[in-house]
Amino acid sequence: MFRLLSKESNIFSIPVYIGFLLLIVIIFNILDFSTLGATTTAITFFGVALAYFCFNSIALNYHTHLPLLLYTFFIFGLYPGHVDLGVAIALLTNSFLLLLLTSTNEDLRKKSYVLVGAIISLNFIFLPTTWPMAVFVLIHVIATSERIGLNIFRFLLGVLLISLSYFSVANFLDLKQWNDIYFPFGNMWIIEDFSVFMPLIPIALMLMYAVYDHFKYYNQKSPISRYKYTFLLVFSLAQLLTVILYMNKNYEYLLLLAFPVTIILSRMLRFLPKYWMKEASLWIIIASLVSYRALLQLNLI
């Protein structure tokens, strides 16, 4: 199966995976006819669907079918059926952030920082627990920009534009009471029971090995590959921080990790030394996700 998935994909194969994704979403939401439920489901679908195109844009997986299939299984395994509106917005905007910030075109990146700031601000409005993404973007700007001060100003300008618009609309609607949820440090729900994630332990172990293997052969990789992979690791860390601090029993937060984890694992599988290791690891990942899905479906977690 690994050899079959290692074949090069093309733009025409992506709609097949998106179609399967749509089928998953419809099946899990077939009994939900509420307007809000339909809205969040649609936003979630578009956010996840856009991520399929991000694989080719980021170009860390050699345009093969492997990341597309793995990502589909991750969504199948981690999708709880009903997603919070804030998480749905975050899934959609994360895809845009990845497209903008992983570009190797410095001119494109510096022109997009106002838009990135607006996206981060929008994320915070709908899901305040995504504040680690703002820290991540600032670190990214400082580490990669030639004109740090100017690009930080552009980023903050985007944040300010959305913030002013939000407060103006809130004032117009006479919503003048401050909600404590917008101070996320006082509303942390740190995960205490990790037993629910037992089926996902093999995936966690593979991720640790993948990161170790990347840095072991760090100097042998191309500058572009090093830049994009390091970006993805820091991006994953920001998402992981949100998951650990605020997920509690809102397991849809795990969807925020699906895209970066898929890329990391896909690259690990490709560079394993033996074919049997690649094949066995692939099936272990699939089995772990299906097991977690089964427990989720039976309300055992």
Side-chain angles (χ1 to χ4, degrees):
M1 184 175 178
F2 183 83
R3 285 197 179 98
L4 182 64
L5 294 174
S6 296
K7 293 182 179 180
E8 187 173 353
S9 66
N10 53 61
I11 194 66
F12 299 105
S13 63
I14 292 178
V16 176
Y17 293 97
I18 294 178
F20 184 70
L21 166 68
L22 179 61
L23 183 62
I24 292 173
V25 171
I26 291 175
I27 290 174
F28 288 142
N29 291 274
I30 195 167
L31 298 177
D32 183 11
F33 298 102
S34 68
T35 302
L36 180 60
T39 302
T40 56
T41 299
I43 295 172
T44 301
F45 171 75
F46 284 115
V48 174
L50 181 60
Y52 282 102
F53 294 96
C54 290
F55 286 112
N56 286 345
S57 176
I58 294 177
L60 280 174
N61 293 123
Y62 304 94
H63 298 266
T64 64
H65 285 271
L66 179 61
L68 301 177
L69 183 75
L70 273 184
Y71 186 62
T72 303
F73 269 101
F74 267 101
I75 298 302
F76 168 77
L78 302 178
Y79 182 64
H82 301 280
V83 178
D84 179 79
L85 178 60
V87 175
I89 295 291
L91 284 170
L92 179 61
T93 55
N94 280 352
S95 297
F96 286 108
L97 287 175
L98 286 164
L99 287 172
L100 293 171
L101 296 179
T102 56
S103 173
T104 55
N105 187 327
E106 174 66 23
D107 187 56
L108 174 64
R109 285 209 308 272
K110 71 181 182 182
K111 289 180 179 178
S112 67
Y113 282 129
V114 174
L115 178 58
V116 169
I119 290 174
I120 291 295
S121 186
L122 192 66
N123 264 359
F124 184 79
I125 290 171
F126 282 96
L127 191 66
T129 55
T130 57
W131 64 264
M133 280 301 297
V135 178
F136 157 73
V137 171
L138 285 174
I139 293 174
H140 175 78
V141 171
I142 294 171
T144 62
S145 299
E146 294 180 359
R147 305 179 68 180
I148 297 174
L150 178 59
N151 288 332
I152 288 179
F153 171 77
R154 287 169 172 157
F155 170 73
L156 294 178
L157 177 61
V159 172
L160 182 63
L161 289 174
I162 295 298
S163 300
L164 289 176
S165 300
Y166 173 73
F167 285 118
S168 298
V169 171
N171 184 65
F172 177 76
L173 297 176
D174 201 29
L175 301 174
K176 299 180 180 180
Q177 186 174 0
W178 176 260
N179 192 332
D180 291 339
I181 198 172
Y182 287 103
F183 186 70
F185 300 102
N187 296 279
M188 293 188 290
W189 305 283
I190 300 175
I191 300 173
E192 296 180 355
D193 182 14
F194 288 90
S195 61
V196 297
F197 306 116
M198 290 289 287
L200 301 178
I201 287 178
I203 294 177
L205 294 175
M206 288 183 193
L207 284 171
M208 288 188 283
Y209 172 78
V211 174
Y212 159 77
D213 186 69
H214 169 73
F215 286 105
K216 181 180 178 181
Y217 299 101
Y218 185 80
N219 293 328
Q220 299 178 23
K221 303 181 185 297
S222 68
I224 293 178
S225 179
R226 289 201 299 263
Y227 163 74
K228 290 187 174 183
Y229 197 94
T230 303
F231 168 89
L232 201 67
L233 288 179
V234 182
F235 177 85
S236 303
L237 185 61
Q239 302 292 352
L240 184 62
L241 189 60
T242 294
V243 168
I244 292 175
L245 293 180
Y246 303 106
M247 183 174 70
N248 196 16
K249 293 185 178 181
N250 301 312
Y251 299 125
E252 64 265 29
Y253 271 67
L254 290 175
L255 289 171
L256 299 175
L257 292 169
F259 182 83
V261 165
T262 297
I263 291 184
I264 293 170
L265 289 179
S266 297
R267 286 180 64 82
M268 180 211 73
L269 292 175
R270 180 179 179 86
F271 293 114
L272 285 174
K274 302 289 185 181
Y275 172 74
W276 69 265
M277 293 180 180
K278 300 176 182 181
E279 190 72 26
S281 298
L282 174 61
W283 284 107
I284 289 172
I285 293 171
I286 292 175
S288 297
L289 292 169
V290 171
S291 299
Y292 180 79
R293 173 77 252 174
L295 293 177
L296 199 66
Q297 198 67 30
L298 296 173
N299 295 321
L300 297 177
I301 57 175

